[in-house]
Amino acid sequence: MKLKHWISLFLLLLGSSLIVAALTIVYSTYPVRNNIDQSITNYFYSNRNDAISLIFYIITHLGEELVYIGVITILYYTWDKSKAYKIMAVVLSSAVLNGIFKYSFKLERPSQEFWYKGAEETSPGLPSGHTQITTSFWGSFASIVKKWWVYVLSLLLVLLIGLSRIILSVHWFTDVIMGLGLGLIILALFVEFEDTITSYVNSLATRYKIMLSFLLFIFLIIPVVIVLPSNLMVGDNQVFPLLDMLKLITLFSTATLSYAVEKDLINFNSKPDKWWKYIIRIIIGVVMLFLFYFGLKELFKLIIQSVTWTGIKPTLDLIRYGLLGPVLILLSPWIMKKIGV
C-alpha cells in the first residue's frame, strides 16, 4: 500500500479507538457522571490559576468558527483557492457532523459554576466542537502543505485547544477525546479520498457542479431535519440550538455553489505577483467578512426589534450566512480583479 493509505488507516483506527474509549467511559456509569471526568474537572477547577486560565481562554478562541472562516478566506485570496476550498469543505462538514452528534447524545457539560469567567456555551457537551473542528482544519491543512513545521504546529494547536476546553471546565475529558477521535476520522477520509474526489469534481462541467452543490445541501440537511424536531426551542429565551448547524450548512452550500461557477464568472488568480497585493487582498477580505458578518448582524438587529414574529432572527441569520458564500468567493475576488490586485 502507498504511504497515504497507511496514514489514513492509522488515523481511522486511532480516531475510532478514542471514540470507543470516550463512549465506554461515559456510559459505564450513565446517567451518573463517571469518576474520570469528575476527577479531571475537579482537579483543574481546584487548582485554577488566573494567569494560566487567561492564557488558555485566549487559546480556546483560536478554535472559534469565525477564526477559521477568516483564516480560510485569507488562504483563498493569498495561497491557493482550490486547496482553501478543500479545507473549508472539511471544516464545515466537520462542524455540521459535530452538531448532529451533540444533539443526538444531548449530554450535559460540567456545571456552569466550574466554568472560567466569561465562558459562554449553549450547546450540549459531547463531542467537543472546538477540538473536532481544530483537528479537521489543522489536519487537512498539514496534509496538503506537507511541511514538518506545519505538522508540529498543527499537533500543538490541536492539543492546546483541546486542553483549553478541559482547563476552562467547559467540557469533560471524554467530550474532548471524542471530538479528537471524530476529527481524526474525518482527516483519515480526507487523506484517503482527496485526490479521487478532486479529480472527479474537476472533470465535471459547470452545470453538474451546480447540481452537485444542491445534492450536497440535501445530503447535509437530512440528518439535521431528523434531529431538529425535538430540539427546536429550549430555555426561557426560546433559543434555537440547532440554528448553528443550519447556518453552517447554508454557508457551505452557497460557498460550494459560488465556487462551482467562480471559474466561469471570475476566474480569480489566488497568487498575486507583488508582495503588497497580498496585504491589500487580506484587508479587502477581512473588511468584507466583518461587513457582512458583523455589519449585517447589527443591521438585522434593527429589523428584529420592529418585528414580533419569533422566527425573524433565525431567518435573518440564515440569510446573513447564506450571503457570506457569494460575497467571499465571488464579490471580493471580483473587486480585487477590478482594482488590479
Side-chain angles (χ1 to χ4, degrees):
M1 288 196 300
K2 293 182 179 180
L3 178 60
K4 79 168 188 175
H5 299 315
W6 285 111
I7 293 175
S8 60
L9 180 60
F10 170 75
L11 293 172
L12 185 64
L13 291 174
L14 179 58
S16 300
S17 299
L18 290 173
I19 292 173
V20 170
L23 294 178
T24 300
I25 294 172
V26 169
Y27 285 102
S28 62
T29 59
Y30 183 81
V32 178
R33 179 57 58 174
N34 62 85
N35 290 333
I36 295 176
D37 279 336
Q38 288 280 12
S39 299
I40 293 175
T41 297
N42 288 337
Y43 172 81
F44 282 109
Y45 177 73
S46 301
N47 296 277
R48 179 166 291 164
N49 177 281
D50 289 340
I52 294 176
S53 296
L54 178 59
I55 293 172
F56 277 97
Y57 183 66
I58 296 172
I59 289 174
T60 205
H61 284 292
L62 297 177
E64 296 286 348
E65 159 199 309
L66 182 60
V67 172
Y68 288 122
I69 293 175
V71 172
I72 292 170
T73 298
I74 292 173
L75 292 176
Y76 188 93
Y77 299 148
T78 62
W79 179 48
D80 187 302
K81 64 182 183 183
S82 175
K83 294 175 181 177
Y85 172 77
K86 291 178 187 178
I87 296 172
M88 182 207 72
V90 172
V91 169
L92 292 182
S93 57
S94 180
V96 173
L97 180 64
N98 180 263
I100 292 172
F101 274 101
K102 277 182 181 293
Y103 290 104
S104 295
F105 288 111
K106 300 180 187 176
L107 295 179
E108 295 182 353
R109 297 169 182 265
S111 175
Q112 194 167 348
E113 65 186 83
F114 291 96
W115 295 6
Y116 178 73
K117 58 182 180 180
E120 295 182 3
E121 303 292 343
T122 57
S123 63
L126 185 77
S128 165
H130 281 67
T131 307
Q132 181 181 331
I133 296 170
T134 297
T135 304
S136 302
F137 174 86
W138 286 106
S140 57
F141 180 68
S143 69
I144 290 175
V145 176
K146 295 181 173 63
K147 301 287 185 180
W148 70 267
W149 63 270
V150 177
Y151 291 127
V152 173
L153 176 63
S154 300
L155 179 61
L156 183 63
L157 285 172
V158 168
L159 294 177
L160 285 175
I161 291 174
L163 183 60
S164 74
R165 309 305 286 166
I166 300 173
I167 290 179
L168 301 178
S169 300
V170 293
H171 271 297
W172 301 107
F173 169 73
T174 48
D175 297 346
V176 171
I177 64 172
M178 183 164 175
L180 177 59
L182 284 169
L184 290 175
I185 289 177
I186 291 171
L187 178 57
L189 296 174
F190 177 75
V191 171
E192 182 66 29
F193 297 110
E194 175 201 354
D195 293 338
T196 303
I197 294 175
T198 299
S199 299
Y200 172 72
V201 173
N202 288 341
S203 67
L204 296 176
T206 301
R207 64 182 181 278
Y208 294 120
K209 291 179 182 178
I210 295 173
M211 293 175 62
L212 191 62
S213 301
F214 285 104
L215 290 176
L216 181 62
F217 172 78
I218 295 172
F219 175 77
L220 291 173
I221 205 69
I222 287 176
V224 175
V225 172
I226 293 174
V227 176
L228 182 63
S230 61
N231 293 282
L232 276 176
M233 300 181 195
V234 295
D236 296 332
N237 296 321
Q238 294 187 321
V239 178
F240 289 74
L242 293 184
L243 178 61
D244 287 342
M245 294 169 60
L246 297 176
K247 290 190 295 187
L248 292 175
I249 292 173
T250 302
L251 171 58
F252 191 7
S253 301
T254 58
T256 299
L257 181 61
S258 300
Y259 186 70
V261 300
E262 186 276 332
K263 186 175 182 180
D264 294 334
L265 298 180
I266 310 296
N267 197 21
F268 178 68
N269 182 1
S270 54
K271 297 177 181 178
D273 55 353
K274 303 290 184 180
W275 68 267
W276 54 269
K277 292 183 179 181
Y278 284 93
I279 298 175
I280 296 179
R281 286 187 178 194
I282 292 174
I283 293 173
I284 293 175
V286 170
V287 168
M288 295 296 285
L289 175 59
F290 273 75
L291 181 63
F292 280 83
Y293 189 91
F294 291 109
L296 278 184
K297 185 177 182 179
E298 294 303 315
L299 176 62
F300 287 165
K301 280 183 179 179
L302 300 177
I303 300 176
I304 293 171
Q305 292 172 358
S306 61
V307 177
T308 56
W309 177 45
T310 306
I312 187 64
K313 184 181 184 303
T315 300
L316 292 178
D317 277 340
L318 290 176
I319 292 174
R320 180 164 58 93
Y321 272 73
L323 288 174
L324 278 178
V327 165
L328 297 178
I329 292 182
L330 295 176
L331 180 58
S332 294
W334 178 80
I335 292 174
M336 292 174 192
K337 286 194 71 172
K338 283 295 181 180
I339 64 177
V341 296

